[in-house]
Amino acid sequence: MTKNEIAERLEEIAVLLELKGENPFKIRAYGAGARVLESLETDEFEQLVADEKLDSIKGVGTALAQKIGELHATGELEFLTELRASIAPGLVEMLEVPGLGAKKIKAIHDKLGVDTIAGLAEACADGRVADLAGFGAKSQEKIAEGIRNREAYGKRHLWWLANEVAQPIVSGLRARPEVERAEAAGSLRRGMETVGDLDFIVGSSDPAPVMTWFCELPEVKEITARGETKSSVRFESGLQADLRIVPPAQFVFALHHFTGSKDHNVAMRQRALERGKSLSEWGLVPAKGDGTAKEKAERGESVEVADEAGLFGELGMSFVPPALREGLGEIEAAEAGELPSLVALSDLKGAFHNHTTSSDGRNTLAEMVAAAEQRGWAYLGIADHSKASFQANGLDETRLRKQIAEIRELNGSGRFKTHVFAGSEVDILTDGALDFSDELMAELDYVVASVHNALTQSEADMTKRIIRAVENPHVTMLGHPTGRLLLRREASKADLSKIIDAAIANDTIIELNASPWRLDLDWRWWRKAADRGLICAINPDAHECDGLDHVAAGINSARKGWLQPHHILNTRSLKDVRTCFARKSSV
Ligand code: DGT
Ligand code: CA
Ligand code: CA
Ligand code: ZN
C-alpha cells in the first residue's frame, strides 16, 4: 500500500475512533500520523520502512509504526477491520450529511439511540435533535436539509467518476469482434458536470454476445431490464447504464439521438422537417410517404452517412461538437458557419492554482513541478493557502516568503523545464479585505483570491465582499467564485453579473476551477462573459500530482461555455503570461 493510501486509512481510523468516543489523545495521534506521512517524500518513507525506522519520525510511536508497517506490507490492518465492524454502518453514513461530524453523530447516537439516516430524519422531523444540548432548531434544520439533498443528489453522479466507469466499458465493447462501432453518448459525451445515467450505443449485426458480455460485467450489481437490443444495469456505485445495439447503418443516427440534449434534438428535428425530412434515432427519411420513420428507415429509405459530420452536412450545417448541443443557438451558428473553434486540452500550457505539502497538498513542490514537466507544461503556478485558512495549514508571511525564495531558487537551478510561478491562494476575509498585505502580494508573481469561510453571508454582503477583492490591484484572479461543491454544497448567494462586470472593469481574471467537484464558475456564465472581454483561467486546484489531470474536466466546461483558446490565460506562452502578470503586480 502506498504512503498516501496509508495516510487515508489513518484518517479513517481517527474518524471511527471519534465516532466511538475514544480518548482524544489517541484520536489525535492517528490524525497527526496521517499528516506526517503526507509531508514525507515517497523515497524518504520507503527508506524508513526498509530500515524499520518508522518510529524515529516525530509523532509516530511504536504502536503506530507497527500499524503503518502492516498496512505497507499487506494492505490490510486487523485493527481497522475490527474497528469498522464494531460501528453501525448508519453512523458512518451520517458523516456524508453536511454539518455532521463524528462528535455530533456520537451525541445523536448516545442520547437518542439513533443509528440510521432514516432514524435521524425522523428525529429531526419531531424536534428531538433540536432539544439536544449543542444543537438547536437551526442546526436541526440544516441536518434535515442535508438528508434531503443527499437523497436528491444520490440520483446524479460527477462527470469525472462516471467517465472512469464508462471508458473501460467503451474500450471493452470496441474490442469485441461483433462490434463495429461503440460510443458513450448522453450527458457524459456532452461533458455535463454531472451525469444521470450512462448511454452506450453500439453498431453491430450480431447483438446477442455483446449484450451478454455487457450484462455479465463484474461491476454490474443489478440488471434492471434485459432485451435483445436494449438493456439497463446498475453498478455498485448506484450509477445506471443503458446499452442500445443498432444495425451498423443506423449507428450515426442513434449516436446523435442519444447524445442529445433533448432541446438540441427538438431543434434538429424541426430543421429536418423544414427540409421535408424526418430525423430520428432510426435515420433521416423523407417526411412524406407511407409508414413511420422507423419503417421507412427499415425499408432503406434513409440517407446514408459515414459519421455525424455527414449527418449535419445533410441538413446544411457544419459539425456541432457534442459539448455545444444544449439547444442554446448552436444550430443557427452551425448553419451560418459561425461555430467557435473550441479550446482543447492540448491547448493548455500550464495552470495557476495548485497546492503543495506546504499547505494542504499531498505532494511537495518538486514533485508537483516534475508532474507538470511530465505533462509537457511550460509553467506551473503554486498557490498554497494563506494563514486565515488555518484548517488547511495556510502559510503565514514568514513561510510564504520562504516558499517564494525556494521557487526562485528552483527556477534558477535549471532542474526542470517547467517554469514555476510563485503565487498564493489568498483568503478573501469576511469584509472583502485580503489575508496578506499589499507589500507581500507585490512580492508574488500573481494572486488567486478565494472565499473559504462565511459562505452563507447574504447575497448583498457576499457580492460586496468579492467585488472589493476583485478591485484590489494585486489580485490577478478570483478563485472558485461561488464555492459550490457539486452534489454536496450549494453555491453561495452572490450577484454574479455584477462580479463579472467588476472583473472585466478591473482586468481581473476569473478562474474556471477544474476540480471535478467544483467546475466553478459554471459553464453557463462563460459565453456571454467572454464575449464581453472576461479572461478565464482553467485551474485544476490540484492537491496532488494526479490532480493536475483535472484540467480535462475544466476543458469540458470551457467548451460548453463556447470558450476559444484566446479567452483562456493558460493557453498563452510563458512570455505572454509573464507580461500579463507583470501588469498587475507592478501596480
Ligand atoms: P442525464 O442522463 O440525465 O444526465 O442526461 P442525458 O442527456 O444523458 O439524458 P438521457 O439519458 O435521459 O437520454 C439520453 C439522450 O436521449 C438525451 O440527451 C436526448 C435523448 N432523449 C431521451 N429522451 C428524449 C425525448 O423524450 N425526446 C428527445 N427529443 N430526445 C430524448
Ligand atoms: Ca444519460
Ligand atoms: Ca439514459
Ligand atoms: Zn480554494
Side-chain angles (χ1 to χ4, degrees):
M1 197 173 252
T2 67
K3 172 183 84 86
N4 288 345
E5 285 168 340
I6 296 171
E8 278 171 22
R9 298 301 186 283
L10 298 186
E11 293 278 12
E12 184 186 348
I13 292 174
V15 171
L16 294 179
L17 289 176
E18 205 174 357
L19 278 177
K20 294 193 78 159
E22 285 280 352
N23 174 341
F25 292 104
K26 205 166 149 188
I27 297 168
R28 231 168 290 152
Y30 284 100
R35 276 186 298 281
V36 169
L37 286 194
E38 283 167 5
S39 70
L40 287 177
E41 302 264 0
T42 302
D43 298 352
E44 223 180 320
F45 171 73
E46 294 294 338
Q47 195 58 53
L48 285 166
V49 175
D51 299 346
E52 299 190 2
K53 286 224 176 92
L54 282 169
D55 56 357
S56 72
I57 309 171
K58 192 171 156 262
V60 177
T62 328
L64 187 54
Q66 188 261 327
K67 291 193 176 78
I68 295 173
E70 193 177 329
L71 280 167
H72 180 267
T74 68
E76 274 170 52
L77 182 62
E78 209 183 307
F79 172 71
L80 175 57
T81 313
E82 282 172 12
L83 185 61
R84 280 179 182 148
S86 72
I87 295 169
L91 296 183
V92 179
E93 242 181 293
M94 283 182 206
L95 288 166
E96 291 165 18
V97 177
L100 273 187
K103 230 181 241 138
K104 285 196 166 166
I105 295 171
K106 176 157 169 35
I108 288 167
H109 180 228
D110 289 353
K111 303 209 179 108
L112 302 177
V114 166
D115 64 0
T116 61
I117 297 254
L120 178 59
E122 256 174 55
C124 287
D126 56 28
R128 277 178 291 150
V129 173
D131 291 342
L132 288 177
F135 281 79
K138 224 172 164 181
S139 78
Q140 173 174 278
E141 177 44 35
K142 201 170 160 220
I143 293 168
E145 190 193 338
I147 295 174
R148 284 194 298 274
N149 282 346
R150 196 176 159 276
E151 285 166 5
Y153 291 161
K155 298 196 177 87
R156 294 193 71 80
H157 305 264
L158 286 185
W159 180 89
W160 191 268
L161 302 179
N163 192 50
E164 279 177 350
V165 175
Q167 288 319 318
I169 296 179
V170 172
S171 307
L173 286 168
R174 287 182 185 156
R176 296 223 39 110
E178 310 84 8
V179 171
E180 287 195 15
R181 297 162 90 173
E183 204 74 62
S187 51
L188 186 90
R189 184 162 181 244
R190 301 199 312 280
M192 283 291 274
E193 62 277 17
T194 64
V195 167
D197 71 350
L198 301 178
D199 305 278
F200 295 104
I201 308 296
V202 162
S204 169
S205 350
D206 183 11
V210 184
M211 203 45 100
T212 304
W213 177 86
F214 178 73
C215 290
E216 287 175 3
L217 282 171
E219 57 265 46
V220 168
K221 197 177 168 201
E222 188 189 349
I223 301 170
T224 43
R226 180 158 185 174
E228 275 168 36
T229 58
K230 194 203 149 185
S231 291
S232 301
V233 300
R234 182 160 48 232
F235 302 117
E236 257 339 301
S237 60
L239 180 64
Q240 306 201 44
D242 297 335
L243 169 64
R244 290 181 174 81
I245 307 177
V246 301
Q250 197 197 311
F251 177 80
V252 172
F253 298 102
L255 174 63
H256 176 266
H257 176 85
F258 291 106
T259 295
S261 65
K262 207 166 163 176
D263 288 345
H264 170 84
N265 287 355
V266 168
M268 285 288 282
R269 197 167 308 160
Q270 185 56 38
R271 191 173 168 76
L273 281 177
E274 286 161 11
R275 299 172 164 238
K277 290 178 183 163
S278 163
L279 175 66
S280 67
E281 61 186 284
W282 316 105
L284 182 63
V285 297
K288 285 199 191 116
D290 288 341
T292 64
K294 185 182 176 194
E295 287 161 355
K296 289 177 196 168
E298 279 165 356
R299 287 200 302 263
E301 290 176 33
S302 175
V303 296
E304 281 176 35
V305 292
D307 50 25
E308 282 185 326
L311 192 163
F312 285 110
E314 287 291 332
L315 296 176
M317 302 158 67
S318 50
F319 174 76
V320 180
L324 299 187
R325 300 185 198 166
E326 298 294 345
L328 295 171
E330 71 276 11
I331 308 235
E332 296 78 356
E335 180 181 21
E338 283 168 2
L339 282 175
S341 314
L342 297 178
V343 64
L345 189 55
S346 55
D347 292 321
L348 293 189
K349 298 186 171 70
F352 310 104
H353 178 175
N354 301 291
H355 298 269
T356 72
T357 44
S358 290
S359 64
D360 59 349
R362 287 167 170 261
N363 287 102
T364 61
L365 171 64
E367 287 167 344
M368 292 296 282
V369 184
E373 184 182 54
Q374 224 175 44
R375 286 157 177 79
W377 286 6
Y379 45 83
L380 179 76
I382 297 298
D384 271 313
H385 287 286
S386 66
K387 59 185 192 292
S389 278
F390 52 87
Q391 74 292 340
N393 190 25
L395 281 64
D396 60 14
E397 287 77 359
T398 313
R399 288 175 61 215
L400 179 57
R401 286 206 163 92
K402 197 171 144 250
Q403 190 186 49
I404 299 173
E406 244 175 85
I407 289 175
R408 305 276 182 248
E409 198 189 308
L410 190 66
N411 284 331
S413 75
R415 190 172 151 200
F416 296 107
K417 288 194 208 76
T418 301
H419 177 82
V420 188
F421 286 115
S424 172
E425 183 180 18
V426 182
D427 265 57
I428 304 175
L429 306 178
T430 43
D431 63 353
L434 290 163
D435 195 20
F436 284 136
S437 69
D438 288 356
E439 294 75 53
L440 179 51
M441 289 193 286
E443 291 173 38
L444 293 162
D445 295 325
Y446 69 101
V447 166
V448 183
S450 306
V451 167
H452 288 119
N453 70 341
L455 298 171
T456 52
Q457 278 180 330
S458 72
E459 177 172 330
D461 286 350
M462 183 62 86
T463 306
K464 224 167 80 192
R465 174 187 186 183
I466 293 179
I467 289 180
R468 188 172 160 205
V470 160
E471 287 173 348
N472 183 308
H474 293 283
V475 169
T476 323
M477 59 186 82
L478 173 65
H480 47 68
T482 76
R484 78 171 176 189
L485 292 177
L486 289 165
L487 312 180
R488 269 164 55 197
R489 182 170 77 204
E490 294 295 336
S492 291
K493 292 190 198 78
D495 187 334
L496 284 168
S497 303
K498 279 198 188 138
I499 291 169
I500 290 168
D501 285 345
I504 294 170
N506 290 278
D507 212 358
T508 302
I509 293 156
I510 291 188
E511 164 180 280
L512 198 178
N513 189 298
S515 158
W517 292 267
R518 292 188 182 270
L519 296 168
D520 180 16
L521 186 65
D522 186 275
W523 61 267
R524 293 160 185 84
W525 289 92
W526 281 107
R527 182 177 174 191
K528 208 169 124 210
D531 268 350
R532 291 171 46 227
L534 182 66
I535 298 295
C536 169
I538 298 179
N539 283 326
D541 200 351
H543 283 72
E544 56 193 326
C545 295
D546 288 349
L548 296 176
D549 294 328
H550 290 157
V551 287
I555 286 285
N556 277 342
S557 284
R559 289 170 66 88
K560 295 195 81 60
W562 292 55
L563 295 187
Q564 304 180 40
H566 70 268
H567 295 127
I568 293 161
L569 181 66
N570 38 329
T571 62
R572 296 189 194 170
S573 67
L574 174 59
K575 181 165 161 275
D576 290 351
V577 171
R578 274 204 174 110
T579 311
C580 168
F581 284 172
R583 221 173 43 219
K584 274 270 178 173
S585 50
S586 61
V587 191

